[in-house]
Amino acid sequence: MFAQIIVDVPTMQTNQPYTYAIPDKFVAVVEAGMRVVVPFGKGSRQVQGFVVGLQDDYHGEVDLKEITDVVDVAPVLNAEMLELADWVARENFAFKISVLQAMLPNVMRAKYVKTVQLRDPALLETDAMLRDFFTDRFEVPLDDNHVTPEVLTALHKYARLGQVAINYQVGNRAKIKLVTAVKPILSAEKYDEIRQGLRPTAKKQARLLTYLMTASPNWIAQKEIIDATAVDYTTLKKAETNGWIQKGEIEQYRLPKLTSAITATEPLPLTEQQAHVFTTLSENLTDDAKSQTYLLEGVTGSGKTEVYLQAMATVLAQGKTALMLVPEITLTPQMVRRVKSRFGEAVAVLHSALSDGERYDEWRRIERGEARVVVGARSAIFAPLQDIGLIILDEEHDASYKQEENPRYHARDVALWRASYHRATVVLGSATPSLESRAHAQQGQYTLLRLTQRVQTQPLPPVSLVDMRESIKSGSDDLFSNELLEALRQRLARGEQSVLMLNRRGYANYVSCRDCGFTPTCVNCDLALTMHKVTNSLICHYCGYQEPIPKTCPNCGSQRIRPFGAGTQKVEAMLKEYLPTARVLRMDQDTTRKKGATDGMLEAFGNHEADILLGTQMIAKGLDFPDITLVGVLNADTTLALPDYRAAERTFQLLTQVSGRAGRADKPGEVIVQTYNPEHYALRFAQTHDYEGFYQYEMAIRKEWQYSPYYYTIQLKVLHESQTESARVAYEIADWLKPYLDLQTVMLGPSAGSVARLNNKYVYRIVIKYRQSAKLFEALDELMQAGQRLQRQKVTLLIDRDPVNFV
Ligand code: ADP
Ligand code: ZN
Ligand code: ZN
């Protein structure tokens, strides 16, 4: 037998698998989707690889090397995942190995110790070989050198049946958690008989026996028995000695915790609009024959989430599974709670705040079919769910669905692929769909569904734009207009809540000299340094470089070097001055760094422990609190200034999202947006909540300037420590590419990146806008291979398809 293997050798990547011989001892074990260790190159270098296929014969010339070792006893990736990895790699100019690794939880990528855990102790009674292997333990190290092929084959078989599990432990981080457990081993009649024969004083034993009579013959956590019967450890010990029970250990999942208990909720009766959407979705949800994608364009507060939940319930009832993606920052406890309150234990949650151990546990619950609903951020799209009936992308326009490092996949594309594989339904939901998705709906590739009204009869809140240029002329400072302060005062007086958004972080954005205009920049990146008051330092947000805030200007010696712009801490300080009685809760990357901090803060806000929630854009999404009647945007313009053709779209989306936090229940809301560009169309359309108007207007601009969705984009980046070398390679690539571009294809650059230097490397960019891809993609595939050679010369080449970020 022979195996095709994708090996993990940095700088020597290829998407062609290598063929290796499978030694006899592994023939019964090796399957596609397992990881193995193989020799690679000259010498005896051992590397890890993924088995992606098996074959009976080999007719090549060379003598094949043999697989040295198997890492997994059962496949960690199934046939769907292997096929998907091929596709993701091909579509995104990525190497398969990076995709395969991205599909697995972290802990399985790092160095680890492997153990075998006995999940079904009954095995020991039937299999003497296993009894020897486990002796009297429930989890033993799996050291491949000491395991006979027979045992390995047996473990492989039992792993498939779920009777043993292979665990990966990195230090202590991903150790599975075991608790002492008890298993009833006698029949109910027998327990009854023993109980009849007890002395009348043996009350504890009697209680235990009564409990055991009705207990199922499975492992029960010892603590659970003690809680239920109020017996003590001695009683249980005695019961074991008497041969009434068996003692052992069972695994306890580390479930991500929420601060308060979840109460179950029932589906709500749907509004007329919701019901219409749900009925339309149901046609495909109950149809096994085809996959269909729906774009759900629903204003904020229109009850999209309720529709998602009921659609999920529909597929679960058919025995299928459901996957719901949300952007990382909306994966708030509020959202998790809403899903868990409906589906309870069946829900697995995957997001970046989980420890590796928690993530690994959730992954296994999904893989074992114990969790049939997955809620997660971008990478959860690779959750090993089987028989998927429904995939939801909430806030489908969100830029975080695109991974910004290798493999640069877009979760929306992967969702469509998986849905087509499972013939499942896809729902893309947003109040402000991406232009790409909305255009797809226009052309009929997606079915457009709309929710135009809020659930509660409240209309969308009126939005007023405050021109800060006028405001400052009439004496206000550059942070708070009189209009906004007045509105905040009103809310305080009425005991209502306000949300204030500032799209920035730190005390102030940057410092500059008032005399000569000098601004300290990063020594690695040519980017303005961001000021952090707490540490009294200037920090580069790209590379992390830090230096103290200078007291005098390094350029001209002036002492008038001051902060420019404002961060959340500054705004908080100003609020205290203007509104001394207001209780302000500040939510930004600094205050939410600690695990569970966001959860606690939102709960406090929900309990009216604060009047004003002040934060960066992380507060723009998902918050659903009935008493928020005012939303203030302190500076709407920062996103307009991004060097990106999506700047207007991003601004419109952000303003619409944050406006949606106001007036969600019975009290009417109001939104005040402070800006220096009140005429800008993105603000105008946001003011009237006019998504369709914005869509039409922006599409005309995109067409004119040949941007997405009319043209696709590829961005190439070349990075090197020397600027000349970086430029030279970029020009060489551009020249090489030219013959592959057809007449409709436009190549921009090479040009220095808008951030010219990152992490001490000079960036040159080439942007290709195209409509036809066949020839271009062939060329890019070749470039990708060439990138491996360049890497050895310390030149990095990045190929980014449909980039969402042009910095
Ligand atoms: P969206 O996700 O579209 O912004 P939500 O799903 O958060 O909207 O719904 C807004 C509010 O309306 C939530 O508090 C939700 O519980 C409530 N809601 C949704 N659907 C219904 C319904 N059919 N009946 C009553 N309340 C509903
Ligand atoms: Zn100066
Ligand atoms: Zn830097």
Side-chain angles (χ1 to χ4, degrees):
M1 285 285 279
F2 303 89
Q4 286 132 23
I5 295 173
I6 294 284
V7 291
D8 183 10
V9 273
T11 77
M12 291 278 285
Q13 280 318 321
T14 146
N15 278 345
Q16 279 307 311
Y18 291 96
T19 309
Y20 282 85
I22 307 176
D24 289 345
K25 62 176 174 178
F26 293 140
V27 163
V29 175
V30 173
E31 281 185 71
M34 280 184 184
R35 291 167 305 165
V36 291
V37 176
V38 292
F40 189 82
K42 295 197 194 74
S44 55
R45 181 173 168 210
Q46 299 289 323
V47 299
Q48 218 183 69
F50 284 83
V51 179
V52 294
L54 297 176
Q55 63 197 58
D56 288 329
D57 305 309
Y58 171 75
H59 303 293
E61 313 268 284
V62 262
D63 276 345
L64 290 181
K65 293 182 181 169
E66 285 195 339
I67 291 176
T68 318
D69 209 345
V70 289
V71 175
D72 301 306
V73 170
V76 288
L77 294 173
N78 61 21
E80 182 202 355
M81 288 299 164
L82 293 177
E83 209 180 301
L84 175 58
D86 276 358
W87 182 82
V88 170
R90 201 168 53 239
E91 291 290 304
N92 298 287
F93 308 102
F95 286 109
K96 271 180 205 166
I97 191 75
S98 69
V99 184
L100 294 166
Q101 282 167 341
M103 289 173 160
L104 295 177
N106 257 335
V107 37
M108 295 174 75
R109 284 178 235 171
K111 263 189 147 19
Y112 48 79
V113 179
K114 224 182 340 174
T115 59
V116 189
Q117 179 201 355
L118 185 62
R119 299 193 79 215
D120 179 6
L123 272 184
L124 300 184
E125 282 143 39
T126 52
D127 190 323
M129 188 171 67
L130 236 59
R131 205 154 52 227
D132 288 345
F133 176 74
F134 280 102
T135 54
D136 51 2
R137 291 162 302 169
F138 283 84
E139 184 167 17
V140 298
L142 181 59
D143 178 346
D144 300 296
N145 299 326
H146 296 104
V147 179
T148 61
E150 291 75 34
V151 169
L152 205 56
T153 310
L155 289 177
H156 174 237
K157 184 178 85 195
Y158 294 131
R160 296 233 83 169
L161 297 169
Q163 291 170 301
V164 305
I166 309 301
N167 298 314
Y168 306 89
Q169 311 185 351
V170 181
N172 281 329
R173 275 193 309 162
K175 238 193 168 118
I176 64 162
K177 202 167 147 192
L178 295 175
V179 294
T180 310
V182 165
K183 185 172 152 171
I185 46 178
L186 304 177
S187 67
E189 294 77 39
K190 187 74 192 157
Y191 284 129
D192 197 25
E193 192 188 315
I194 301 172
R195 199 187 50 162
Q196 309 281 356
L198 287 177
R199 281 172 294 114
T201 47
K203 294 237 167 62
K204 285 182 194 150
Q205 295 193 23
R207 281 206 302 276
L208 176 63
L209 286 161
T210 311
Y211 178 92
L212 291 173
M213 277 171 63
T214 53
S216 67
N218 294 321
W219 289 97
I220 308 157
Q222 176 166 289
K223 187 164 176 305
E224 199 175 304
I225 297 196
I226 291 177
D227 288 349
T229 60
V231 302
D232 49 26
Y233 293 102
T234 334
T235 317
L236 287 171
K237 187 87 208 135
K238 218 177 287 164
E240 189 191 9
T241 326
N242 292 344
W244 301 349
I245 55 168
Q246 190 184 344
K247 278 182 94 169
E249 285 175 319
I250 52 170
E251 177 179 357
Q252 197 176 53
Y253 295 124
R254 284 152 293 207
L255 295 180
K257 286 178 203 65
L258 292 167
T259 46
S260 58
I262 294 177
T263 40
T265 57
E266 292 296 319
L268 300 170
L270 297 176
T271 64
E272 206 174 305
Q273 284 198 331
Q274 282 175 320
H276 173 74
V277 168
F278 179 71
T279 312
T280 315
L281 289 179
S282 298
E283 285 163 20
N284 195 254
L285 291 173
T286 50
D287 178 357
D288 287 343
K290 68 177 204 316
S291 169
Q292 174 71 39
T293 303
Y294 298 86
L295 178 62
L296 176 54
E297 179 191 322
V299 299
T300 53
S302 58
K304 295 187 287 297
T305 313
E306 183 61 34
V307 173
Y308 301 154
L309 293 175
Q310 299 200 14
M312 285 156 104
T314 304
V315 299
L316 290 179
Q318 297 164 20
K320 296 187 193 166
T321 63
L323 175 55
M324 175 168 169
L325 292 194
V326 295
E328 186 74 49
I329 51 172
T330 40
L331 195 49
T332 56
Q334 232 190 349
M335 176 62 101
V336 172
R337 191 168 274 137
R338 278 173 88 172
V339 183
K340 285 202 168 170
S341 70
R342 208 57 71 78
F343 305 114
E345 295 277 296
V347 182
V349 181
L350 295 171
H351 60 82
S352 67
L354 299 184
S355 69
D356 280 353
E358 288 169 340
R359 187 170 253 279
Y360 177 48
D361 285 0
E362 289 290 75
W363 187 85
R364 281 181 314 159
R365 289 208 310 131
I366 302 164
E367 206 211 6
R368 291 172 182 170
E370 294 167 12
R372 295 170 54 226
V373 174
V374 174
V375 184
R378 178 183 61 227
S379 65
I381 195 60
F382 295 119
L385 282 172
Q386 287 172 23
D387 207 2
I388 298 175
L390 173 66
I391 304 179
I392 295 160
L393 257 82
D394 190 30
E395 313 280 4
E396 70 89 31
H397 62 275
D398 197 90
S400 74
Y401 284 130
K402 171 79 193 277
Q403 173 143 308
E404 295 273 23
E405 56 196 57
N406 269 326
R408 292 164 199 275
Y409 66 92
H410 198 299
R412 193 200 294 134
D413 300 333
V414 180
L416 293 178
W417 189 95
R418 291 197 77 181
S420 124
Y421 186 95
H422 292 276
R423 282 180 257 148
T425 305
V426 180
V427 179
L428 307 174
S430 176
T432 54
S434 63
L435 260 70
E436 288 80 1
S437 292
R438 182 62 187 79
H440 274 136
Q442 187 90 14
Q443 294 160 351
Q445 278 139 295
Y446 303 164
T447 307
L448 182 62
L449 297 170
R450 294 176 69 190
L451 292 172
T452 56
Q453 287 157 15
R454 287 189 149 183
V455 175
Q456 254 71 10
T457 43
Q458 284 306 333
L460 289 162
V463 179
S464 45
L465 303 177
V466 176
D467 186 342
M468 287 307 280
R469 295 167 303 193
E470 296 301 321
S471 218
I472 289 172
K473 270 190 219 150
S474 60
S476 88
D477 63 50
D478 59 357
L479 279 181
F480 287 98
S481 60
N482 293 331
E483 287 93 327
L484 183 54
L485 279 177
E486 191 42 46
L488 285 166
R489 281 197 195 98
Q490 274 179 14
R491 295 317 181 287
L492 280 176
R494 286 193 232 140
E496 295 171 0
Q497 294 183 301
S498 308
V499 165
L500 281 182
M501 184 180 78
L502 181 83
N503 195 4
R504 288 172 171 194
R505 171 181 175 219
Y507 179 79
N509 237 14
Y510 51 96
V511 300
S512 80
C513 173
R514 298 295 193 269
D515 288 325
C516 77
F518 172 82
T519 299
T521 51
C522 174
V523 295
N524 303 320
C525 305
D526 283 355
L527 271 180
L529 292 169
T530 301
M531 182 164 151
H532 284 242
K533 192 73 191 297
V534 184
T535 50
N536 205 28
S537 57
L538 298 172
I539 299 178
C540 172
H541 280 191
Y542 269 91
C543 73
Y545 168 82
Q546 253 189 52
E547 64 179 46
I549 299 172
K551 297 211 167 48
T552 56
C553 172
N555 188 42
C556 73
S558 157
Q559 298 198 342
R560 294 184 359 117
I561 181 155
R562 304 267 159 81
F564 213 88
T568 42
Q569 292 179 43
K570 167 81 176 176
V571 175
E572 189 184 20
M574 297 289 282
L575 268 177
K576 288 229 168 78
E577 268 176 46
Y578 287 125
L579 310 166
T581 59
R583 297 163 302 163
V584 180
L585 202 60
R586 175 165 64 88
M587 212 164 119
D588 55 25
Q589 285 179 45
D590 288 327
T591 60
T592 55
R593 196 165 293 143
K594 247 186 67 200
K595 205 169 160 182
T598 319
D599 192 3
M601 290 174 95
L602 291 179
E603 201 160 295
F605 194 63
N607 295 336
H608 272 259
E609 287 164 40
D611 307 301
I612 301 175
L613 179 64
L614 163 67
T616 53
Q617 76 263 44
M618 68 173 69
I619 61 167
K621 291 176 187 169
L623 303 191
D624 184 23
F625 294 114
D627 288 326
I628 301 177
T629 58
L630 174 68
V631 166
V633 179
L634 291 162
N635 185 350
D637 307 304
T638 38
T639 36
L640 280 180
L642 292 174
D644 185 341
Y645 69 80
R646 289 194 178 93
E649 188 184 359
R650 297 263 180 269
T651 307
F652 176 80
Q653 287 163 348
L654 186 62
L655 292 179
T656 306
Q657 287 298 338
V658 73
S659 302
R661 302 311 113 210
R664 289 170 75 88
D666 50 350
K667 301 188 189 100
E670 179 189 359
V671 181
I672 296 181
V673 177
Q674 302 188 152
T675 174
Y676 293 87
N677 296 287
E679 318 76 24
H680 196 284
Y681 67 94
L683 278 78
R684 288 278 168 213
F685 285 115
Q687 182 177 25
T688 49
H689 306 283
D690 185 3
Y691 171 79
E692 287 292 321
F694 175 79
Y695 167 69
Q696 302 294 347
Y697 193 100
E698 181 72 11
M699 282 296 273
I701 293 178
R702 300 285 178 90
K703 187 169 190 182
E704 167 96 17
W705 290 92
Q706 304 186 328
Y707 286 133
S708 172
Y710 290 97
Y711 277 71
Y712 303 107
T713 325
I714 299 267
Q715 180 172 238
L716 302 176
K717 279 190 197 171
V718 178
L719 291 92
H720 190 265
E721 278 175 19
S722 135
Q723 187 166 14
T724 36
E725 181 62 6
S726 178
R728 190 187 64 75
V729 174
Y731 277 97
E732 205 173 289
I733 288 174
D735 284 340
W736 182 84
L737 267 175
K738 268 174 201 147
Y740 295 93
L741 310 181
D742 60 33
L743 287 173
Q744 277 191 317
T745 303
V746 183
M747 182 157 76
L748 305 174
S751 61
S754 57
V755 177
R757 201 155 51 116
L758 279 182
N759 253 329
N760 265 326
K761 288 197 170 150
Y762 285 88
V763 186
Y764 271 80
R765 302 186 310 143
I766 298 171
V767 174
I768 300 166
K769 299 196 289 184
Y770 66 95
R771 305 191 71 152
Q772 298 284 329
S773 60
K775 250 169 77 182
L776 175 63
F777 275 30
E778 268 173 46
L780 291 172
D781 268 332
E782 263 189 65
L783 262 188
M784 183 173 100
Q785 296 300 336
Q788 292 282 295
R789 287 195 299 280
L790 290 170
Q791 192 71 57
R792 277 170 257 152
Q793 299 155 30
K794 305 247 184 312
V795 179
T796 306
L797 170 64
L798 306 176
I799 306 179
D800 195 359
R801 178 171 179 185
D802 305 326
V804 293
N805 200 333
F806 287 87
V807 176

